[in-house]
Amino acid sequence: RSGERLQLNEQVPEELAPLVAEINHLGQQIESVLERARNSAGDLGHALKTPLAVIESRLESLSGQLPQSDWQELQAQVQSIRAQLERTLQRARLAPDQARGQRFAPGADLTALVQTLESLYPNGPQIQLQGELSGSWPFDREDLLELLGNLLDNACKWARAEVRVAWHLRADQLDLEVADDGPGIAPAECDQVLGRGARLDQQAPGHGLGLAIVRDTVATYQGTLALEQAPEGGLLVRISLPLQRRRGSA
């Protein structure tokens, strides 16, 4: 339950030994399947980057030869493929050492994530952590790495000098805040940004894909997500994740 081990102790009464052995065997099979799936997804993403770039270049050269409606439809489909590849590769880039079943430990995992982002943005903003670093959060480590990785990556792209991460683990929920001192988002555009694949800035990687991934993760945990103006002047993302999911929900 805590995610600190993947196998049950097999030193049990004889009557329970077959059941415990079967549970352990099933756990090993599931972990193996998940590991192969993660590796395959990352390998596929890298393998498709080059041919997709060739297709994009060729399609651009045909813009004056194809009917405009046909060209726009093909362009939209290629962009959709590109967005899915970016999601897979971003996940591998921000959290390369993931392990299904482990719980998120802010002292180790959040600190390592910040170090990764500082190496990706050597001239980027200072990332401030405000919260208790000891202990662990009762959520899957991989899910929290993806959620926080996307929020911090997004904030580092837009911040001028500062990114702030604050959290508080309550008895019934985890409250998270990620804020930056960048240009922020107009209130009327917040719903647009949370739509899958939507971007306000089509010339550079923007808010859309990362926040859509965050939205999906929050929905999985039946939490809440809000976009506001940060005291620093940029975007403030507020998230609350209940520690227990409601009955009757996936």
Side-chain angles (χ1 to χ4, degrees):
R1 180 180 180 183
S2 67
E4 295 177 357
R5 63 181 182 183
L6 297 176
Q7 286 196 318
L8 299 175
N9 187 342
E10 296 191 6
Q11 300 301 315
V12 296
E14 183 178 351
E15 295 82 356
L16 296 177
L19 175 61
V20 171
E22 185 63 28
I23 291 174
N24 284 339
H25 177 65
L26 179 61
Q28 292 171 358
Q29 286 184 316
I30 292 174
E31 183 64 22
S32 177
V33 169
L34 290 171
E35 183 65 24
R36 290 199 302 270
R38 287 193 293 268
N39 291 338
S40 296
D43 292 344
L44 180 62
H46 284 289
L48 291 178
K49 281 191 69 177
T50 298
L52 181 60
V54 173
I55 292 174
E56 288 176 323
S57 176
R58 180 60 177 157
L59 183 60
E60 189 67 29
S61 68
L62 294 174
S63 60
Q65 303 177 36
L66 295 174
Q68 188 67 13
S69 59
D70 291 347
W71 184 85
Q72 289 177 343
E73 181 179 355
L74 291 173
Q75 188 80 344
Q77 294 301 320
V78 169
Q79 289 177 355
S80 177
I81 296 172
R82 169 67 67 184
Q84 293 300 320
L85 284 179
E86 287 179 357
R87 173 175 182 172
T88 298
L89 295 176
Q90 183 183 50
R91 186 172 190 169
R93 175 175 63 113
L94 291 175
D97 186 25
Q98 299 172 354
R100 173 63 66 180
Q102 293 184 1
R103 294 297 179 254
F104 186 87
D109 295 326
L110 188 53
T111 301
L113 185 57
V114 169
Q115 292 174 348
T116 298
L117 287 160
E118 287 175 345
S119 67
L120 291 172
Y121 300 96
N123 299 316
Q126 292 290 321
I127 302 176
Q128 299 183 7
L129 302 181
Q130 299 178 358
E132 178 60 53
L133 288 171
S134 62
S136 63
W137 299 347
F139 301 99
D140 185 85
R141 177 174 179 259
E142 184 176 346
D143 290 343
L144 266 293
L145 282 171
E146 182 174 35
L147 184 147
L148 285 166
N150 277 285
L151 286 177
L152 287 173
D153 186 50
N154 186 74
C156 287
K157 288 174 182 175
W158 293 93
R160 296 185 176 94
E162 179 184 348
V163 170
R164 173 174 56 86
V165 186
W167 65 91
H168 181 55
L169 185 61
R170 304 179 184 275
D172 59 343
Q173 69 182 32
L174 171 68
D175 295 328
L176 285 169
E177 288 187 1
V178 177
D180 64 71
D181 60 352
I185 303 176
E189 295 174 323
C190 287
D191 289 340
Q192 175 190 346
V193 171
L194 288 176
R196 177 168 296 281
R199 287 218 311 251
L200 296 179
D201 180 1
Q202 296 294 333
Q203 303 304 314
H207 294 288
L209 180 61
L211 288 181
I213 295 171
V214 169
R215 176 202 61 193
D216 292 348
T217 303
V218 171
T220 298
Y221 283 94
Q222 300 170 17
T224 60
L225 169 64
L227 305 183
E228 304 173 10
Q229 183 176 4
E232 294 86 348
L235 178 65
L236 169 63
V237 182
R238 291 184 187 271
I239 292 174
S240 291
L241 300 178
L243 300 192
Q244 293 184 345
R245 303 185 192 185
R246 295 186 296 273
R247 293 183 180 273
S249 300

